[in-house]
């Protein structure tokens, strides 16, 4: 079993707040992340596939194809967007890095599975100091 | 003459568009950066001071003091903010990396000068692929 | 289950040597790391928590709180210190990256547990070429 | 159990193609990687050992020794070489990152085992956007 | 005056040798870089433009356009190629980082000038330990 | 004119304090950097040479030779050392990054000059947030 990871980049605006709470309570919990006029990040996305090398190519998955797939299925929907307003698969969800990684997994995994391969991990780097990992 | 650089980080939302133009023309020039619902970045800010080492400390400028100054004068105003809506020194300006670097220089330079030192450069890294430098 | 990692930085002096050995044998095993006048590193510390996103915030743990906790419980004790002389939780231990990572885990883990969460990993990067991981 | 990783660098030329296929089909599958005149990479190699710290040193494995071993056993054979033509342990194999990581594991693992230690992972970074991991 | 830098990546094979010299002398001067079967690198290319921000956009040059130009004029010719055999603008030249940076400048500069702008610097990072800069 | 930079790494302990001052005043100015038991850093050293490519090699200076020279003349003296106690060229000086960069320049420059070449810059990265540059 070998693990292959492809890295892609995008950037987006978002805001963390809970509509059921007062502004005061949102500020207590989310701090500056609750700014009503949004803030944003350069996200770095790592997608990992696991499998055995194909005896005809030495690949477990074509890294170029994987990059194109991530761009078509994920980056196209989120790059230079507002995660709270513009992204269908995040509609009605808190746009925390945790939920966003789960959302990205759910978008990509069926496309990997359809090709007979196994997705292993989504790693999402939100800032140089914060990243999350989801394994399905 | 020695050059000392201090690096700080922040993140913000912004949008590139020219009110005098049609949406169509904005999209031609600014592409996805014109998204009306904003996008954002993790900015990396390098501020460079030049001078001769003080014979009593070996410093041209105290790096801790420089970090505190950048945080007080710049980061406090821009971190987790919307550059178009929330930042006084960018009001009415295009929030390109170029203009933003000039704005940051103009905010910081008087504070450096007041302390008898010379600011040399603001380098602003907007994405892993784009950065700008301004020397006053 | 999602994994959230927070990264913090600090720097410290240390020395690797075994009092029970001759200087000669210390030099054979530890080489330049046995320098009696110390050497030092910029350490990069990654702390990973695992859990399920809270339905009220989308967080498995508040990343800001995690950063503050790491700073209060670990960085405050080790930053700009001598690991062999100044750090209570390393007293009488070899200050290898391995032992230091275990020591940091033991300091932090009770604070994470007390908050009802689960610590998953401490990754400690000692140099650009050496890092260790400890999972408890 | 602690995990210790040592990072080393080298660079090499290679080419991805399947002799049993037409040039056209090679281009379809491998794209620019099939260039008959080769291309190349700066590879970054992470080798991870797992074990318990030795009570006499605090080490699970001497990181300097590990670096020397990687250099002697792997880097010496592959640095500034052509992976398809010059490297005995890749002879007759596709030089994909996947196969190369497996090859490196097979070269190194007996030397780690002979020293009574346990190799855990080879991570091979081929480009800033592609890396693979192999756990034996 | 503001300086805008765009970063792009590519990889290539090459070899350093002087046909007028014996193999022995080539090895003395170029060492492993003279390997007849080639070696290669992941190159990181920084291209810097200088100018004043356009009052209608805040740009000194559209960073997206600059990226496209670098890709069309340089990356297309060198990515996944052999610098000694496949690249017209390096024909008959030593493919040192120094000469390669000059070659890239000469390819790009007319396109920047044609658009009324001023190219300031080409920085070419050959390995994590070696980079060159050329200012025309 | 082309600029060639070689990067090397080392780590060291040091302390910032002024013997002519009280401990209190040292703490006011140098803060945690004045810790009597030392602290330390992983230093990253960039040395830049400028010149015209040699028509017989394409090099302005052999990068391998430059690396060896930096290691012989600088790294050998400072790696895994105490800058205040062990390094002859820093004796009696404040071991600020500024002074250390000047000291490194003074050590290296005669060796570069002796070879008929011109040293342009020493860049010394002390932490991920602080670096200095000296141009002689």
């Amino acid at each position: 079993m070998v693990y292959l990871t492809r890295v892609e980049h995008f950037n987006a605006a978002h805001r963390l707040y809970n509509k059921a709470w007062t502004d005061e309570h949102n500020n207590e919990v989310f701090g500056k992340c609750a700014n009503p006029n949004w803030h944003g990040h350069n996200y770095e996305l790592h997608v990992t596939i696991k499998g055995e090398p194909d005896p005809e190519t030495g690949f477990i998955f074509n890294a170029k194809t994987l990059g194109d797939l991530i761009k078509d299925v994920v980056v196209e929907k989120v790059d230079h967007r507002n995660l709270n307003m513009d992204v269908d698969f995040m509609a009605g969800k808190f746009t925390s890095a945790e939920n966003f990684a789960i959302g990205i997994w759910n978008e990509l995994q069926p496309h990997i599975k359809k090709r007979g391969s196994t997705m292993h991990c989504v790693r999402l780097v939100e800032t140089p100091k914060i990243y999350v990992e989801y394994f399905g």
Side-chain angles (χ1 to χ4, degrees), chain A:
Chain A
M1 191 71 77
V2 186
Y3 297 74
L4 168 75
T5 301
R6 175 83 191 191
V7 184
E8 297 294 342
H9 297 81
F10 58 87
N11 54 72
H14 80 142
R15 180 195 182 193
L16 295 175
Y17 69 117
N18 184 328
K19 287 178 186 171
W21 294 349
T22 61
D23 280 1
E24 210 168 41
H25 191 44
N26 270 294
N27 282 335
E28 275 167 29
V29 173
F30 296 116
K32 292 185 291 186
C33 301
N35 177 24
N37 292 332
W38 320 98
H39 66 283
H41 302 289
N42 301 329
Y43 289 92
E44 184 180 292
L45 174 62
H46 299 229
V47 177
T48 303
I49 306 289
K50 67 179 171 187
E52 288 181 51
D54 181 326
E56 291 211 310
T57 60
F59 287 163
I60 64 159
F61 201 96
N62 189 312
K64 172 80 167 59
T65 307
L66 182 54
D68 290 344
L69 195 60
I70 298 169
K71 277 178 270 192
D72 288 352
V73 173
V74 179
V75 175
E76 187 62 32
K77 284 189 171 176
V78 299
D79 188 33
H80 284 79
R81 304 293 172 102
N82 184 309
L83 302 183
N84 300 60
M85 298 174 73
D86 298 334
V87 178
D88 57 2
F89 68 82
M90 293 305 290
K93 295 180 190 162
F94 297 108
T95 58
S96 66
E98 289 92 327
N99 281 352
F100 193 20
I102 295 171
I104 289 170
W105 173 286
N106 290 338
E107 290 297 298
L108 262 177
Q109 196 270 349
H111 293 269
I112 302 297
K113 196 179 174 186
K114 196 166 60 188
R115 281 162 175 80
S117 294
T118 306
M119 201 153 117
H120 174 65
C121 182
V122 163
R123 175 187 285 204
L124 184 68
V125 184
E126 193 182 63
T127 76
K129 289 191 154 191
I130 299 173
Y131 58 86
V132 297
E133 289 155 295
Y134 182 62
F135 298 84

